Amino acid sequence: MKHLPQAFFCFCSVFIMAQTNYTKFEPGQLWLDNNGVHINAHGGGFLFHDGTYYWFGEHKISGKLGNKAMVGVHAYSSKDLYNWKDEGIALSMSNDPKSKLIKGCILERPKVIYNKKIKKFVMWFHHELKDQGYSAALTGVAVSDNVTGPYIYQDSFRLHGGILPLNFTKQQFDKAEIIENDSDPNKKQKVIDGAYFKRDFETGQMSRDMTLFVDEDGTAYHITASEENQTLLISKLSDDYLSVTDDYIRAFPGGRNEAPAVFKKDDKYYMFTSGLTGWKPNPAKLSVSDSMLGNWKSLGNPCIGTDEEKAVTFWSQSTYVLPVEGRNNSFIFIADRWRPENAIDGRYIWLPIQFENNIPVLKWVSSWGLSVFKN
Ligand code: GAL
């Protein structure tokens, strides 16, 4: 030691000061990456691969323009979930005006899963075409050989054109009435009965807020807000995860759900969603089913807290549920606290999912660590 020059110690202390070394989660606070920059991965999705966690999310820029996709999907990696390393842009927006993925379009809620059969990482995301608001309602796919990218954009599309879901008969379809006029007093019932579904039957169903879920047997599902955000569609993916199969259901028709996030515990599938208030928070909803393509039942608002906290899901909107590796029944609820006026400043709300009478619940914890999980 005595041979080391003084300069070595100066270098080390500067280096250490620039590092962040988190040992707890502090929901809603700035969260710095290994370069000391607030993590920029909103509407995120997570993947655990070869002993490392990866976080993929919307890279936002400052101001309102940040609500559009100006850069792409940002990736981070972590061994311990507290400290995240910047892995750069995994999927870049295109400068080619002929590309659907051109800079300035909308790309939200990217999710990545690994397909063992084709040995590729497959990213799906909500995609809206440039200068068309939210009317295109497409789901997009990109593929990479490496977890952190570069992901190669494949295509974006609507879903299930000309195909009926498993839980909607030809008779129901024939009876469904298309809504001619928005002030129709029977609009809600007509939506439940398949008005928008029938309207979009030939061209394909809308897909906005979405997530992916991979079951223990490797079967993957795409879950999305469809039918003008009135109904969720849950679709089984093909074996290579690159497309949807014809096995799909309408879930909660007319239920007005967005921001789906799915997890599985004790052979039951749980899904968090939000209501429809854009960037503003609203009460979370929880539902349960015995199978992904089964009969989903509502369990109501999972939040326990003050009336205000329950009304706004602790000022957040769900994006993912992350199972903690190596611990049983340990799940983290991951949500966004959006800042649409300055999108880059959006915050992350991570809360431990607690179980009361075996039902998942969410409570505000301002500072916590993985030791809250007892298993
Ligand atoms: C939210 C949705 C976000 C984004 C936003 C735009 O409801 O969850 O992903 O689409 O609306 O207003």
Side-chain angles (χ1 to χ4, degrees):
M1 281 287 263
K2 65 179 184 233
H3 302 298
L4 290 173
Q6 187 68 32
F8 176 80
F9 293 103
C10 291
F11 169 78
C12 285
S13 56
V14 168
F15 184 69
I16 288 161
M17 273 171 63
Q19 295 291 294
T20 49
N21 189 16
Y22 291 106
T23 53
K24 56 192 177 190
F25 303 111
E26 294 190 310
Q29 301 301 310
L30 281 175
W31 194 348
L32 308 183
D33 67 11
N34 60 312
N35 298 320
V37 177
H38 182 48
I39 293 172
N40 198 341
H42 309 264
F46 292 76
L47 176 70
F48 183 76
H49 189 79
D50 279 351
T52 302
Y53 293 95
Y54 295 90
W55 177 350
F56 300 88
E58 303 157 27
H59 178 104
K60 308 267 196 190
I61 64 167
S62 55
K64 283 191 183 174
L65 194 57
N67 300 313
K68 302 222 164 113
M70 304 307 291
V71 176
V73 175
H74 206 137
Y76 294 83
S77 66
S78 175
K79 293 277 183 198
D80 63 5
L81 292 175
Y82 304 116
N83 296 288
W84 291 88
K85 176 172 177 252
D86 186 353
E87 298 283 359
I89 301 301
L91 172 67
S92 298
M93 304 315 291
S94 172
N95 287 313
D96 177 357
K98 289 199 263 353
S99 169
K100 282 191 216 169
L101 208 67
I102 185 158
K103 192 185 284 182
C105 69
I106 291 171
L107 188 166
E108 293 176 341
R109 300 181 176 272
K111 304 286 177 287
V112 173
I113 53 181
Y114 178 66
N115 188 280
K116 287 189 185 139
K117 203 174 134 193
I118 60 168
K119 297 193 171 50
K120 285 187 194 296
F121 298 88
V122 183
M123 179 189 289
W124 288 69
F125 49 88
H126 171 197
H127 185 194
E128 297 290 347
L129 301 178
K130 189 165 185 271
D131 300 329
Q132 296 187 23
Y134 279 82
S135 62
L138 308 175
T139 189
V141 181
V143 174
S144 176
D145 292 329
N146 301 306
V147 58
T148 54
Y151 283 77
I152 310 298
Y153 175 56
Q154 308 291 299
D155 200 5
S156 308
F157 38 84
R158 285 199 170 190
L159 294 172
H160 305 301
I163 309 286
L164 284 176
L166 299 171
N167 61 351
F168 193 64
T169 63
K170 176 81 169 57
Q171 286 93 312
Q172 286 173 300
F173 179 77
D174 289 342
K175 265 174 67 185
E177 288 176 57
I178 289 172
I179 298 161
E180 303 291 352
N181 148 13
D182 237 24
S183 55
D184 186 333
N186 297 322
K187 185 174 160 185
K188 189 170 167 49
Q189 189 57 46
K190 286 186 178 174
V191 169
I192 295 170
D193 294 342
Y196 294 134
F197 180 86
K198 190 166 191 165
R199 181 195 71 187
D200 294 338
F201 186 64
E202 293 304 334
T203 49
Q205 301 299 329
M206 303 173 96
S207 182
R208 290 203 183 115
D209 279 12
M210 53 71 62
T211 194
L212 301 176
F213 173 75
V214 183
D215 210 340
E216 286 149 308
D217 66 358
T219 309
Y221 298 87
H222 179 272
I223 302 102
T224 192
S226 190
E227 301 180 17
E228 305 287 356
N229 297 337
Q230 304 295 303
T231 299
L232 292 170
L233 297 185
I234 305 180
S235 313
K236 192 172 141 188
L237 293 188
S238 55
D239 286 351
D240 58 12
Y241 299 170
L242 297 175
S243 58
V244 293
T245 67
D246 292 348
D247 288 347
Y248 81 106
I249 59 164
R250 294 175 78 217
F252 299 112
R256 299 169 61 78
N257 288 285
E258 283 192 325
V262 173
F263 70 105
K264 184 182 190 181
K265 177 180 178 278
D266 299 337
D267 288 333
K268 286 200 186 306
Y269 300 83
Y270 294 94
M271 176 164 51
F272 290 100
T273 54
S274 73
L276 314 181
T277 51
W279 301 117
K280 295 204 184 81
N282 56 54
K285 300 183 246 183
L286 179 67
S287 53
V288 64
S289 176
D290 290 329
S291 73
M292 281 302 290
L293 300 180
N295 195 7
W296 287 85
K297 292 192 180 61
S298 174
L299 294 174
N301 187 337
C303 298
I304 296 181
T306 65
D307 287 349
E308 194 182 11
E309 285 172 331
K310 289 191 281 188
V312 293
T313 313
F314 311 107
W315 291 272
S316 75
Q317 185 185 31
S318 45
T319 184
Y320 201 77
V321 173
L322 180 62
V324 180
E325 286 301 317
R327 292 177 191 249
N328 290 329
N329 300 332
S330 303
F331 302 94
I332 305 177
F333 171 82
I334 296 180
D336 293 282
R337 184 173 286 173
W338 304 109
R339 296 256 165 102
E341 301 298 316
N342 186 22
I344 195 173
D345 194 32
R347 304 300 170 90
Y348 308 104
I349 304 300
W350 290 34
L351 295 172
I353 297 182
Q354 304 185 39
F355 293 89
E356 290 191 355
N357 305 318
N358 224 5
I359 302 285
V361 297
L362 299 172
K363 295 178 188 174
W364 179 253
V365 202
S366 56
S367 172
W368 62 282
L370 294 172
S371 58
V372 298
F373 299 117
K374 301 283 180 265
N375 306 296

